């Protein structure tokens, strides 16, 4: 196994993002449309947070009771802002980082996605699933 493989070889570059100020209903729609569980939040191209499907489920009790999607969206949009639900200080990794560094950060945290940045500019994302696939490629 290559211990110093650059994370830039494993990260997703075409990142689905939400924008500062978007309603939570838009984030819910992005999750459903693209099948992702973690969405970085940007202001222009600068990373300002990250929101996960778990974060959304925590505040949308309607999902647990199979309530109409539109009712859940309307309630969330009128009750909470994206900024109130997202993680405002996500752990990140520089695009010059390694797969090993990403694995260490993900193994030590309670999160499953790591935004990859160049300064404060979002350039990619890597998830625990990406790292499992990397491990499988080694065998």
């Amino acid at each position: 196994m290559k211990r110093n493989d650059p994370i830039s070889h494993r990260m997703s570059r075409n990142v689905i993002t939400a924008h500062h100020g978007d309603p939570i209903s838009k984030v819910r729609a992005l999750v459903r449309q693209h099948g992702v569980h973690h969405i970085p939040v940007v202001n222009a191209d600068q990373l300002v947070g990250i929101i996960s499907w778990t974060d959304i489920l925590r505040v949308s009790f309607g999902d647990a009771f199979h309530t109409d999607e539109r009712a859940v969206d309307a309630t969330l949009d009128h009750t909470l802002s994206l900024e109130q639900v997202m993680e405002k200080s996500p752990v990140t990794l520089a695009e010059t980082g390694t797969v090993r560094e990403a694995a260490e950060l993900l193994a030590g945290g309670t999160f499953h996605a790591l935004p990859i940045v160049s300064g404060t500019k979002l350039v990619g994302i890597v998830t625990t699933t990406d790292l499992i696939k990397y491990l499988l490629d080694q065998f």
Side-chain angles (χ1 to χ4, degrees):
M1 194 173 310
K2 302 172 189 168
R3 295 172 58 104
N4 294 316
D5 275 356
I7 197 61
S8 60
H9 293 173
R10 287 292 164 174
M11 69 185 190
S12 298
R13 291 184 185 277
N14 297 325
V15 183
I16 305 303
T17 60
H19 300 277
H20 175 73
D22 280 348
I24 295 175
S25 60
K26 181 175 180 185
V27 176
R28 285 172 39 92
L30 289 170
V31 167
R32 287 190 301 270
Q33 180 182 359
H34 297 284
V36 295
H37 294 132
H38 308 91
I39 299 184
V41 181
V42 295
N43 187 359
D45 60 358
Q46 304 300 300
L47 180 70
V48 295
I50 191 167
I51 187 165
S52 71
W53 183 240
T54 303
D55 295 331
I56 295 168
L57 287 176
R58 190 174 55 247
V59 298
S60 62
F61 295 109
D63 284 340
F65 302 108
H66 305 291
T67 303
D68 175 43
E69 294 285 328
R70 291 173 297 177
V72 172
D73 285 341
T75 301
L76 288 173
D77 288 348
H78 293 296
T79 308
L80 296 166
S81 69
L82 175 58
E83 290 71 21
Q84 290 173 304
V85 180
M86 73 181 193
E87 170 58 48
K88 293 176 189 77
S89 299
V91 174
T92 62
L93 181 65
E95 71 177 322
T96 56
T98 65
V99 169
R100 179 178 176 87
E101 290 171 316
E104 288 171 345
L105 289 168
L106 288 168
T110 57
F111 49 89
H112 301 284
L114 193 57
I116 308 301
V117 294
S118 176
T120 58
K121 179 181 178 186
L122 179 69
V123 295
I125 192 167
V126 68
T127 66
T128 52
T129 302
D130 295 328
L131 294 183
I132 290 169
K133 288 178 182 177
Y134 171 79
L135 181 61
L136 287 171
D137 287 347
Q138 304 304 308
F139 294 99

